[in-house]
Amino acid sequence: MPELNAATLERIAPRLRPAVAPGELRPRVVHFGLGAFHRAHQAIYTENAAARSGEPWGIAAVAPRSTGTMEALRAQDCLYSLTERHPAGAATRVVGSVVEALGMRADAARVDELLASPDVTTLTLTITEKGYHRRPDTGRLDTAAPGIAADLAAGQAADRTTVVGRIAAGLAARMRSGGAPLSVVSCDNMAANGAALETVVRGFVAASPWPDRQAVLDWMAQAVAFPATIVDRIVPATTGTDRETARAALGVRDTVPVVGEPYRQWVLEDSFAGPRPPWELDGALFVPDVVPYQLTKLRLLNGSHSALAYLGAAAGRASVADVLATGWGERLVRDLCAEVAPTLPAGGPDPAGYAADLIERFGNPGMRHLLRQIGSDGSLKIPERWFGALRSLRAAGTGTPVLALALAGWVNATRPGEDGGQCLGTTDPAAPALAACWSEAPDPGDTVRRLLRVLGAADLAQDGTLVSAVAARLPALKAGRVEL
């Protein structure tokens, strides 16, 4: 069967082709991160915005590390397919908003050219929490991190391996070549992601050996915006079945298809430095303050996701839909949302209605979002998703039984497995430090305290009532029982 590319596009039914002809687009957005989420989320909004506005908003997507997806996209003229898994069946179409696929190091000169170009007015990124190299205690750039330290010492753009270093160097080059305004848009699941990104990028510039670093910082304050955003769409890992579904629908072979749930949302702080794609034409919300939406999404959706991942894995389940099919999955989501709701500011979605929507989304039988995927990198995720609510509730003297159970699920998942990894199949950059907490602790309560300290939560580790509640849950979870 022929591969998907520009030459075979005409073989595909018109209703399944891109919303706008790829040849009509120009690279006006640079995106760091060629993962599935970007291609199932921001790339869709951008294509539909271009189609509905008639403006040529194309994306130059940059792969920070692995070049496998980049090479596959190039072979397909940057075309790929998205399959939405509806409860009643799948719907597939081709996406054409990506017009260039680049390697951050291999194509350094082209990346430099784009970052300095006044035609490029928007830079977006999906590099996950660990790509920001933040210190857990301050949120500032960890200049001692090996990648950051190496990038600070690097002389050439092609030698830089972190996205933070690459963006900082690109902004400096942009200032030196004329300084057209630019909006740098984080699309990662972090509270105050715009401010977090600005902090680490400015931190890199300040720590650099560049003679004009202060001039770069001054220019950034005037010409570069870092709006906060909330992105939402469940995008599970693509399977062989998904590839067959796309092939059958299109009549051509796509080597890099992506899949997603029907639901998607994008909320952005209306604070941009210059022209941007009119994403609102495809339903994106531009608001003066994203915090109510952000905390609702982080604490209810992402918080529930992590709880389902660790507790479901302990009970021997494989996917989110599997957990919702149990007698306790729906109750867990409702109870967690109700417990956390008092910590949410006014102005966002209704928590009870939001919880009902989550249950419908999580229970979609067409989705198979794996628990081990959601539960990986927990040391980076759960401080954002659970700890803020925990601190607020406990400071108010409010009980936190559901969050304590969820935290026990994470603690249980950090146990070392026989193969040297984590016992439930998750992965974590802090896995060695987490495993050491089990070998060095004399009792379960001490293990919980040590694990919390690894996550920078010394205050929660000193909360004896919380620690005891978490430790008391561990025997049942080790035995595969989830007791609400």
Side-chain angles (χ1 to χ4, degrees):
M1 179 169 288
E3 286 191 357
L4 172 64
N5 55 43
T8 59
L9 194 57
E10 64 182 18
R11 302 165 63 114
I12 299 170
R15 61 185 177 82
L16 306 184
R17 297 176 193 170
V20 61
E24 297 176 3
L25 303 179
R26 301 198 311 270
R28 298 182 65 184
V29 177
V30 171
H31 179 83
F32 281 87
L34 260 175
F37 184 82
H38 166 69
R39 290 184 287 129
H41 190 274
Q42 299 95 38
I44 305 302
Y45 280 96
T46 302
E47 177 170 290
N48 290 336
R52 291 167 186 170
S53 67
E55 300 171 359
W57 292 100
I59 301 168
V62 182
R65 293 176 298 278
S66 174
T67 58
T69 300
M70 176 204 75
E71 292 168 352
L73 279 173
R74 282 181 173 177
Q76 296 183 177
D77 297 319
C78 294
L79 299 171
Y80 65 93
S81 65
L82 165 70
T83 296
E84 292 184 348
R85 295 179 183 171
H86 297 263
T92 301
R93 77 171 183 88
V94 178
V95 182
S97 55
V98 176
V99 295
E100 290 189 52
L102 306 168
M104 191 170 76
R105 298 184 69 184
D107 300 298
R110 176 57 178 161
V111 175
D112 283 343
E113 180 183 6
L114 288 167
L115 293 179
S117 171
D119 289 337
V120 172
T121 61
T122 307
L123 187 157
T124 59
L125 60 156
T126 48
I127 57 174
T128 75
E129 296 94 330
K130 59 187 173 185
Y132 290 71
H133 299 282
R134 302 164 71 201
R135 289 176 54 94
D137 53 347
T138 66
R140 297 184 180 278
L141 180 69
D142 184 359
T143 55
I148 294 295
D151 278 7
L152 286 168
Q156 302 295 324
D159 296 329
R160 292 191 172 89
T161 61
T162 71
V163 174
V164 171
R166 198 68 180 84
I167 290 175
L171 291 176
R174 190 177 183 93
M175 183 208 74
R176 294 165 191 150
S177 66
L182 183 72
S183 299
V184 185
V185 185
S186 168
C187 301
D188 287 301
N189 281 318
M190 300 186 300
N193 55 7
L197 177 58
E198 181 176 14
T199 296
V200 295
V201 172
R202 289 183 67 88
F204 189 97
V205 175
S208 75
W210 307 330
D212 61 350
R213 59 185 176 274
Q214 188 57 52
V216 175
L217 291 170
D218 292 344
W219 168 78
M220 286 175 60
Q222 298 297 320
V224 183
F226 292 86
T229 69
I230 301 96
V231 295
D232 189 2
R233 186 173 212 176
I234 297 171
V235 180
T238 303
T239 67
T241 300
D242 296 324
R243 292 183 175 85
E244 284 302 309
T245 297
R247 180 201 59 77
L250 302 175
V252 296
R253 183 164 54 90
D254 180 7
T255 62
V256 281
V258 294
V259 296
E261 65 171 330
Y263 178 93
R264 57 187 168 94
Q265 182 189 53
W266 199 1
V267 184
L268 304 98
E269 179 185 5
D270 196 4
S271 176
F272 281 68
R276 59 162 177 80
W279 291 309
E280 65 271 25
L281 296 181
D282 195 37
L285 298 177
F286 286 84
V287 299
D289 183 10
V290 303
V291 170
Y293 296 88
Q294 190 170 59
L295 287 179
T296 298
K297 197 255 181 174
L298 277 171
R299 294 183 179 180
L300 300 192
L301 186 148
N302 298 131
S304 294
H305 241 175
S306 288
L308 291 168
Y310 299 120
L311 298 174
R317 305 290 170 164
S319 72
V320 173
D322 291 342
V323 182
L324 265 289
T326 68
W328 54 268
E330 178 177 336
R331 182 182 167 193
L332 174 68
V333 175
R334 291 192 189 278
D335 288 356
L336 187 144
C337 290
E339 183 170 291
V340 170
T343 73
L344 301 175
D350 170 62
Y354 195 89
D357 289 342
L358 288 181
I359 289 165
E360 181 179 355
R361 295 169 62 190
F362 291 166
N364 181 349
M367 299 295 293
R368 187 165 175 78
H369 203 179
L370 297 180
L371 302 181
R372 66 172 179 269
Q373 176 188 2
I374 301 165
S376 290
D377 300 334
S379 65
L380 299 173
K381 293 176 179 177
I382 69 169
E384 295 275 355
R385 300 177 180 192
W386 296 344
F387 288 0
L390 262 176
R391 290 179 173 120
S392 295
L393 292 169
R394 300 197 72 79
T398 305
T400 56
V402 186
L403 284 170
L405 172 62
L407 187 55
W410 171 75
V411 168
N412 178 61
T414 64
R415 289 186 291 121
E418 294 181 359
D419 62 355
Q422 295 188 321
C423 67
L424 298 180
T426 53
T427 60
D428 198 293
L434 300 174
C437 295
W438 288 91
S439 61
E440 297 171 0
D443 61 69
D446 193 40
T447 300
V448 173
R449 284 189 288 271
R450 288 170 182 260
L451 288 167
L452 288 170
R453 291 190 189 105
V454 170
L455 270 56
D459 58 327
L460 296 178
Q462 294 171 355
D463 186 333
T465 302
L466 174 64
V467 169
S468 296
V470 172
R473 295 285 197 170
L474 293 176
L477 293 175
K478 288 181 182 178
R481 300 194 310 274
V482 177
E483 300 171 347
L484 288 177

